[in-house]
Amino acid sequence: MTRRVDLRSDTVTQPTPAMRAAMADAIVGDDGYGEDPTVSALEARYAQLVGKPAAVFVPSGVMANQIAVRVLTQPGDVIIAGRDQHVVSYEMGASARNSSVQFATVDDSSGSLPLDAVVERIDAEFDHQAHVSMIALENTHMPSGGTPWDVDELRRLARAIGDRPIHMDGARLFNAVIATGTPAADYTQNVTTVMTCLSKGLCAPVGSLLAGSATLMEAARVERKRLGGAMRQAGILAAAGIVALDTMIERLAEDHVRARALAELFASAFPESGYDPSSCRTNIVAFNHPQARQIIEELAARGVEGGTVAPRRVRFVTHAQISDDDVTYVAEVLASFRPSR
Ligand SMILES: *Cc1c(COP(=O)(O)O)cnc(C)c1O
């Protein structure tokens, strides 16, 4: 039997035994009436972690991003964002469909947003171009390989754009926190709204959180309902989320160490990719290769599963279900691996 090492995504993680126990024992109520104490506790815990007055529990990261867009824009507005960000490229055009907005994209191949390009687009309002109502950024930035933002760079951006809101897609915010040592609240001090997924490296089964001012989060609750995301006895899910925030953040460091080990292995197995393993700073290995889809298919046949995130770009993600033995197995597979054509 070949071993199976599932590096497709950190969304494949299973809830921990502590989460299942907390879910079984959760005190719940109808969150539609604001009566689920476990949901309220989770929202308060996240708001405190990210230093915002309020937070809202939602079913998914996409919904958190979509609600942020709804509360921070008007139809016809422009959102400046990195070309490869989730909200631009991986949400099935949801921002256009839900909020009738358009994106002005900038080059985010480094993982951050080029300040000059952002300021230039805002300045273009003077030249009869559409109103820029928000800036969206991603921390960590998935497509570039899980790149964490430098908090000083974020501060410079926030200062340069004045009072325009910034939404941080922090699906993997705590990976950035662990990788850089920057406290979550230091990052989020510079943004208007922030969202984080509980269901990725933090291993909760379902859910994401959006945080911001009390007024914005009140509006967010209305938009959540409009999008069909208001839930009832959701404390069953929130209970696992509390365990995630309380116990699963520090251990992300292990995922980062294993990702870096994999990065070294992939860099030497595919020198033609020009992949620099030192660019792997969190839990994502991503690089370009002309035979990306073939490599993914042929590695999967040997039990090493990854994915592609763009044509000719492969991605492998570490998470709590990946062990040192799995890394050793990947090393063995890669030692003799060549694409067949
Ligand atoms: C996964 C992800 C999302 C969306 O989260 P879902 O819970 O899958 O809807 C948003 N942004 C980024 C950067 C992500 O990686």
Side-chain angles (χ1 to χ4, degrees):
M1 237 323 252
T2 17
R3 195 181 182 106
R4 180 170 182 239
V5 183
D6 190 350
L7 298 163
R8 289 172 303 165
S9 175
D10 44 8
T11 54
V12 303
T13 42
Q14 294 281 321
T16 64
M19 287 177 189
R20 289 180 183 273
M23 293 171 81
D25 293 341
I27 300 169
V28 299
D30 188 339
D31 191 47
Y33 290 98
E35 288 175 5
D36 190 306
T38 310
V39 170
S40 302
L42 172 65
E43 290 174 344
R45 178 91 183 86
Y46 179 68
Q48 177 221 344
L49 270 175
V50 298
K52 296 290 181 202
V56 179
F57 183 48
V58 294
S60 71
V62 169
M63 191 179 286
N65 280 343
Q66 289 305 310
I67 291 173
V69 170
R70 286 279 276 255
V71 299
L72 295 173
T73 64
Q74 294 296 317
D77 284 349
V78 166
I79 300 174
I80 300 178
R83 188 189 60 194
D84 292 329
Q85 279 177 212
H86 202 280
V87 71
V88 175
S89 295
Y90 301 94
E91 298 186 4
M92 305 295 138
S95 296
R97 182 114 184 167
N98 294 322
S99 302
S100 304
V101 291
Q102 52 187 337
F103 287 102
T105 59
V106 295
D107 178 7
D108 57 348
S109 49
S110 72
S112 61
L113 303 182
L115 185 59
D116 293 354
V118 173
V119 170
E120 172 109 346
R121 176 57 190 85
I122 291 174
D123 193 38
E125 283 181 6
F126 182 80
D127 309 303
H128 323 289
Q129 297 195 18
H131 174 61
V132 174
S133 57
M134 67 181 276
I135 286 78
L137 53 85
E138 206 169 286
N139 189 24
T140 64
H141 182 268
M142 184 282 283
S144 61
T147 314
W149 268 75
D150 173 71
V151 72
D152 292 323
E153 200 177 346
L154 179 55
R155 264 187 213 119
R156 280 195 291 277
L157 175 72
R159 221 177 292 133
I161 62 172
D163 54 8
R164 310 229 177 194
I166 298 178
H167 170 64
M168 177 182 282
D169 174 344
R172 297 185 182 84
L173 173 62
F174 294 107
N175 294 85
V177 166
I178 292 298
T180 61
T182 304
D186 285 10
Y187 273 128
T188 53
Q189 203 172 36
N190 301 283
V191 305
T192 310
T193 52
V194 55
M195 83 86 159
T196 298
C197 292
L198 298 168
S199 56
K200 291 189 169 162
L202 300 182
C203 298
V206 178
S208 292
L209 287 147
L210 177 70
S213 72
T215 315
L216 279 175
M217 291 306 103
E218 218 173 283
R221 285 179 196 282
V222 175
E223 297 303 339
R224 180 181 65 173
K225 188 150 188 170
R226 286 192 173 126
L227 291 170
M231 298 180 283
R232 301 299 179 180
Q233 285 72 26
I236 295 273
L237 303 172
I242 293 172
V243 176
L245 292 181
D246 284 349
T247 69
M248 301 300 282
I249 293 176
E250 297 297 324
R251 66 149 306 286
L252 293 171
E254 294 176 33
D255 299 345
H256 299 178
V257 170
R258 293 190 183 107
R260 183 58 183 269
L262 290 175
E264 305 279 350
L265 293 169
F266 280 104
S268 29
F270 303 104
E272 67 278 15
S273 69
Y275 177 51
D276 173 7
S278 72
S279 68
C280 174
R281 295 170 60 197
T282 59
N283 70 328
I284 298 176
V285 175
F287 57 88
N288 293 333
H289 194 287
Q291 291 153 292
R293 288 179 192 160
Q294 186 194 341
I295 285 172
I296 291 301
E297 191 182 316
E298 294 181 0
L299 283 177
R302 291 161 176 77
V304 177
E305 296 190 57
T308 51
V309 289
R312 297 173 295 286
R313 189 161 181 81
V314 298
R315 184 187 78 164
F316 300 88
V317 186
T318 58
H319 50 77
Q321 260 82 66
I322 298 299
S323 65
D324 289 336
D325 286 350
D326 289 328
V327 174
T328 304
Y329 179 73
V330 174
E332 286 164 18
V333 168
L334 287 178
S336 60
F337 181 82
R338 294 289 169 276
S340 66
R341 28 174 226 285

